[in-house]
mmCIF file with all atom_site columns, all heavy atoms in Angstrom:
data_model
loop_
_atom_site.group_PDB
_atom_site.id
_atom_site.type_symbol
_atom_site.label_atom_id
_atom_site.label_alt_id
_atom_site.label_comp_id
_atom_site.label_asym_id
_atom_site.label_entity_id
_atom_site.label_seq_id
_atom_site.pdbx_PDB_ins_code
_atom_site.Cartn_x
_atom_site.Cartn_y
_atom_site.Cartn_z
_atom_site.occupancy
_atom_site.B_iso_or_equiv
_atom_site.pdbx_formal_charge
_atom_site.auth_seq_id
_atom_site.auth_comp_id
_atom_site.auth_asym_id
_atom_site.auth_atom_id
_atom_site.pdbx_PDB_model_num
ATOM 1  N N   . ASP A 1 81 ? -3.982  24.257 -8.384  1.00 89.00 ? 87  ASP A N   1
ATOM 2  C CA  . ASP A 1 81 ? -5.102  25.047 -7.869  1.00 89.00 ? 87  ASP A CA  1
ATOM 3  C C   . ASP A 1 81 ? -5.378  24.581 -6.460  1.00 89.00 ? 87  ASP A C   1
ATOM 4  O O   . ASP A 1 81 ? -5.830  23.460 -6.261  1.00 89.00 ? 87  ASP A O   1
ATOM 5  C CB  . ASP A 1 81 ? -6.372  24.804 -8.708  1.00 89.00 ? 87  ASP A CB  1
ATOM 6  C CG  . ASP A 1 81 ? -6.100  25.020 -10.173 1.00 89.00 ? 87  ASP A CG  1
ATOM 7  O OD1 . ASP A 1 81 ? -5.454  26.024 -10.492 1.00 89.00 ? 87  ASP A OD1 1
ATOM 8  O OD2 . ASP A 1 81 ? -6.528  24.167 -10.986 1.00 89.00 ? 87  ASP A OD2 1
ATOM 9  N N   . ARG A 1 82 ? -5.125  25.441 -5.495  1.00 84.00 ? 88  ARG A N   1
ATOM 10 C CA  . ARG A 1 82 ? -5.390  25.028 -4.115  1.00 84.00 ? 88  ARG A CA  1
ATOM 11 C C   . ARG A 1 82 ? -6.875  25.252 -3.833  1.00 84.00 ? 88  ARG A C   1
ATOM 12 O O   . ARG A 1 82 ? -7.285  26.265 -3.279  1.00 84.00 ? 88  ARG A O   1
ATOM 13 C CB  . ARG A 1 82 ? -4.481  25.783 -3.159  1.00 84.00 ? 88  ARG A CB  1
ATOM 14 C CG  . ARG A 1 82 ? -3.074  25.191 -3.186  1.00 84.00 ? 88  ARG A CG  1
ATOM 15 C CD  . ARG A 1 82 ? -2.149  25.853 -2.230  1.00 84.00 ? 88  ARG A CD  1
ATOM 16 N NE  . ARG A 1 82 ? -1.904  27.229 -2.595  1.00 84.00 ? 88  ARG A NE  1
ATOM 17 C CZ  . ARG A 1 82 ? -1.041  27.616 -3.532  1.00 84.00 ? 88  ARG A CZ  1
ATOM 18 N NH1 . ARG A 1 82 ? -0.371  26.712 -4.211  1.00 84.00 ? 88  ARG A NH1 1
ATOM 19 N NH2 . ARG A 1 82 ? -0.868  28.881 -3.795  1.00 84.00 ? 88  ARG A NH2 1
ATOM 20 N N   . ASN A 1 83 ? -7.654  24.258 -4.299  1.00 92.00 ? 89  ASN A N   1
ATOM 21 C CA  . ASN A 1 83 ? -9.107  24.411 -4.257  1.00 92.00 ? 89  ASN A CA  1
ATOM 22 C C   . ASN A 1 83 ? -9.757  23.394 -3.325  1.00 92.00 ? 89  ASN A C   1
ATOM 23 O O   . ASN A 1 83 ? -10.910 23.056 -3.473  1.00 92.00 ? 89  ASN A O   1
ATOM 24 C CB  . ASN A 1 83 ? -9.680  24.282 -5.672  1.00 92.00 ? 89  ASN A CB  1
ATOM 25 C CG  . ASN A 1 83 ? -9.214  23.004 -6.348  1.00 92.00 ? 89  ASN A CG  1
ATOM 26 O OD1 . ASN A 1 83 ? -8.640  22.134 -5.700  1.00 92.00 ? 89  ASN A OD1 1
ATOM 27 N ND2 . ASN A 1 83 ? -9.471  22.877 -7.634  1.00 92.00 ? 89  ASN A ND2 1
ATOM 28 N N   . GLY A 1 84 ? -8.977  22.885 -2.392  1.00 95.00 ? 90  GLY A N   1
ATOM 29 C CA  . GLY A 1 84 ? -9.565  21.981 -1.405  1.00 95.00 ? 90  GLY A CA  1
ATOM 30 C C   . GLY A 1 84 ? -8.843  20.655 -1.272  1.00 95.00 ? 90  GLY A C   1
ATOM 31 O O   . GLY A 1 84 ? -8.030  20.274 -2.120  1.00 95.00 ? 90  GLY A O   1
ATOM 32 N N   . LEU A 1 85 ? -9.177  19.950 -0.195  1.00 97.00 ? 91  LEU A N   1
ATOM 33 C CA  . LEU A 1 85 ? -8.520  18.690 0.144   1.00 97.00 ? 91  LEU A CA  1
ATOM 34 C C   . LEU A 1 85 ? -8.793  17.590 -0.895  1.00 97.00 ? 91  LEU A C   1
ATOM 35 O O   . LEU A 1 85 ? -7.913  16.778 -1.196  1.00 97.00 ? 91  LEU A O   1
ATOM 36 C CB  . LEU A 1 85 ? -9.002  18.251 1.534   1.00 97.00 ? 91  LEU A CB  1
ATOM 37 C CG  . LEU A 1 85 ? -8.309  17.101 2.211   1.00 97.00 ? 91  LEU A CG  1
ATOM 38 C CD1 . LEU A 1 85 ? -6.799  17.316 2.269   1.00 97.00 ? 91  LEU A CD1 1
ATOM 39 C CD2 . LEU A 1 85 ? -8.871  16.929 3.628   1.00 97.00 ? 91  LEU A CD2 1
ATOM 40 N N   . ALA A 1 86 ? -9.998  17.598 -1.465  1.00 98.00 ? 92  ALA A N   1
ATOM 41 C CA  . ALA A 1 86 ? -10.319 16.580 -2.478  1.00 98.00 ? 92  ALA A CA  1
ATOM 42 C C   . ALA A 1 86 ? -9.401  16.760 -3.688  1.00 98.00 ? 92  ALA A C   1
ATOM 43 O O   . ALA A 1 86 ? -8.892  15.782 -4.252  1.00 98.00 ? 92  ALA A O   1
ATOM 44 C CB  . ALA A 1 86 ? -11.781 16.680 -2.895  1.00 98.00 ? 92  ALA A CB  1
ATOM 45 N N   . GLY A 1 87 ? -9.150  18.015 -4.061  1.00 97.00 ? 93  GLY A N   1
ATOM 46 C CA  . GLY A 1 87 ? -8.256  18.316 -5.177  1.00 97.00 ? 93  GLY A CA  1
ATOM 47 C C   . GLY A 1 87 ? -6.837  17.850 -4.886  1.00 97.00 ? 93  GLY A C   1
ATOM 48 O O   . GLY A 1 87 ? -6.136  17.366 -5.788  1.00 97.00 ? 93  GLY A O   1
ATOM 49 N N   . ALA A 1 88 ? -6.413  17.968 -3.639  1.00 98.00 ? 94  ALA A N   1
ATOM 50 C CA  . ALA A 1 88 ? -5.062  17.539 -3.257  1.00 98.00 ? 94  ALA A CA  1
ATOM 51 C C   . ALA A 1 88 ? -4.928  16.026 -3.419  1.00 98.00 ? 94  ALA A C   1
ATOM 52 O O   . ALA A 1 88 ? -3.930  15.531 -3.951  1.00 98.00 ? 94  ALA A O   1
ATOM 53 C CB  . ALA A 1 88 ? -4.766  17.946 -1.818  1.00 98.00 ? 94  ALA A CB  1
ATOM 54 N N   . VAL A 1 89 ? -5.930  15.279 -2.984  1.00 98.00 ? 95  VAL A N   1
ATOM 55 C CA  . VAL A 1 89 ? -5.887  13.808 -3.105  1.00 98.00 ? 95  VAL A CA  1
ATOM 56 C C   . VAL A 1 89 ? -5.896  13.416 -4.586  1.00 98.00 ? 95  VAL A C   1
ATOM 57 O O   . VAL A 1 89 ? -5.105  12.587 -5.040  1.00 98.00 ? 95  VAL A O   1
ATOM 58 C CB  . VAL A 1 89 ? -7.064  13.161 -2.338  1.00 98.00 ? 95  VAL A CB  1
ATOM 59 C CG1 . VAL A 1 89 ? -7.159  11.670 -2.627  1.00 98.00 ? 95  VAL A CG1 1
ATOM 60 C CG2 . VAL A 1 89 ? -6.886  13.397 -0.825  1.00 98.00 ? 95  VAL A CG2 1
ATOM 61 N N   . LYS A 1 90 ? -6.757  14.065 -5.346  1.00 98.00 ? 96  LYS A N   1
ATOM 62 C CA  . LYS A 1 90 ? -6.863  13.781 -6.787  1.00 98.00 ? 96  LYS A CA  1
ATOM 63 C C   . LYS A 1 90 ? -5.532  14.018 -7.503  1.00 98.00 ? 96  LYS A C   1
ATOM 64 O O   . LYS A 1 90 ? -5.177  13.306 -8.448  1.00 98.00 ? 96  LYS A O   1
ATOM 65 C CB  . LYS A 1 90 ? -7.966  14.684 -7.366  1.00 98.00 ? 96  LYS A CB  1
ATOM 66 C CG  . LYS A 1 90 ? -8.219  14.536 -8.837  1.00 98.00 ? 96  LYS A CG  1
ATOM 67 C CD  . LYS A 1 90 ? -9.023  13.307 -9.181  1.00 98.00 ? 96  LYS A CD  1
ATOM 68 C CE  . LYS A 1 90 ? -9.217  13.226 -10.696 1.00 98.00 ? 96  LYS A CE  1
ATOM 69 N NZ  . LYS A 1 90 ? -9.619  11.881 -11.105 1.00 98.00 ? 96  LYS A NZ  1
ATOM 70 N N   . ALA A 1 91 ? -4.780  15.011 -7.037  1.00 97.00 ? 97  ALA A N   1
ATOM 71 C CA  . ALA A 1 91 ? -3.498  15.348 -7.681  1.00 97.00 ? 97  ALA A CA  1
ATOM 72 C C   . ALA A 1 91 ? -2.511  14.181 -7.631  1.00 97.00 ? 97  ALA A C   1
ATOM 73 O O   . ALA A 1 91 ? -1.619  14.080 -8.466  1.00 97.00 ? 97  ALA A O   1
ATOM 74 C CB  . ALA A 1 91 ? -2.890  16.581 -7.014  1.00 97.00 ? 97  ALA A CB  1
ATOM 75 N N   . GLY A 1 92 ? -2.684  13.293 -6.659  1.00 98.00 ? 98  GLY A N   1
ATOM 76 C CA  . GLY A 1 92 ? -1.756  12.165 -6.519  1.00 98.00 ? 98  GLY A CA  1
ATOM 77 C C   . GLY A 1 92 ? -2.146  10.936 -7.318  1.00 98.00 ? 98  GLY A C   1
ATOM 78 O O   . GLY A 1 92 ? -1.419  9.935  -7.312  1.00 98.00 ? 98  GLY A O   1
ATOM 79 N N   . GLU A 1 93 ? -3.251  11.003 -8.042  1.00 98.00 ? 99  GLU A N   1
ATOM 80 C CA  . GLU A 1 93 ? -3.800  9.812  -8.718  1.00 98.00 ? 99  GLU A CA  1
ATOM 81 C C   . GLU A 1 93 ? -2.789  9.119  -9.638  1.00 98.00 ? 99  GLU A C   1
ATOM 82 O O   . GLU A 1 93 ? -2.665  7.900  -9.625  1.00 98.00 ? 99  GLU A O   1
ATOM 83 C CB  . GLU A 1 93 ? -5.056  10.202 -9.512  1.00 98.00 ? 99  GLU A CB  1
ATOM 84 C CG  . GLU A 1 93 ? -5.713  9.022  -10.198 1.00 98.00 ? 99  GLU A CG  1
ATOM 85 C CD  . GLU A 1 93 ? -7.005  9.400  -10.928 1.00 98.00 ? 99  GLU A CD  1
ATOM 86 O OE1 . GLU A 1 93 ? -7.288  10.609 -11.069 1.00 98.00 ? 99  GLU A OE1 1
ATOM 87 O OE2 . GLU A 1 93 ? -7.707  8.471  -11.349 1.00 98.00 ? 99  GLU A OE2 1
ATOM 88 N N   . HIS A 1 94 ? -2.063  9.903  -10.430 1.00 98.00 ? 100 HIS A N   1
ATOM 89 C CA  . HIS A 1 94 ? -1.173  9.274  -11.421 1.00 98.00 ? 100 HIS A CA  1
ATOM 90 C C   . HIS A 1 94 ? -0.005  8.533  -10.768 1.00 98.00 ? 100 HIS A C   1
ATOM 91 O O   . HIS A 1 94 ? 0.595   7.661  -11.383 1.00 98.00 ? 100 HIS A O   1
ATOM 92 C CB  . HIS A 1 94 ? -0.669  10.295 -12.446 1.00 98.00 ? 100 HIS A CB  1
ATOM 93 C CG  . HIS A 1 94 ? 0.215   11.353 -11.867 1.00 98.00 ? 100 HIS A CG  1
ATOM 94 N ND1 . HIS A 1 94 ? -0.268  12.352 -11.054 1.00 98.00 ? 100 HIS A ND1 1
ATOM 95 C CD2 . HIS A 1 94 ? 1.546   11.561 -11.964 1.00 98.00 ? 100 HIS A CD2 1
ATOM 96 C CE1 . HIS A 1 94 ? 0.738   13.137 -10.692 1.00 98.00 ? 100 HIS A CE1 1
ATOM 97 N NE2 . HIS A 1 94 ? 1.839   12.675 -11.219 1.00 98.00 ? 100 HIS A NE2 1
#
Side-chain angles (χ1 to χ4, degrees):
D87 307 315
R88 283 182 294 280
N89 53 11
L91 190 53
V95 171
K96 180 77 181 163
E99 182 177 10
H100 65 288

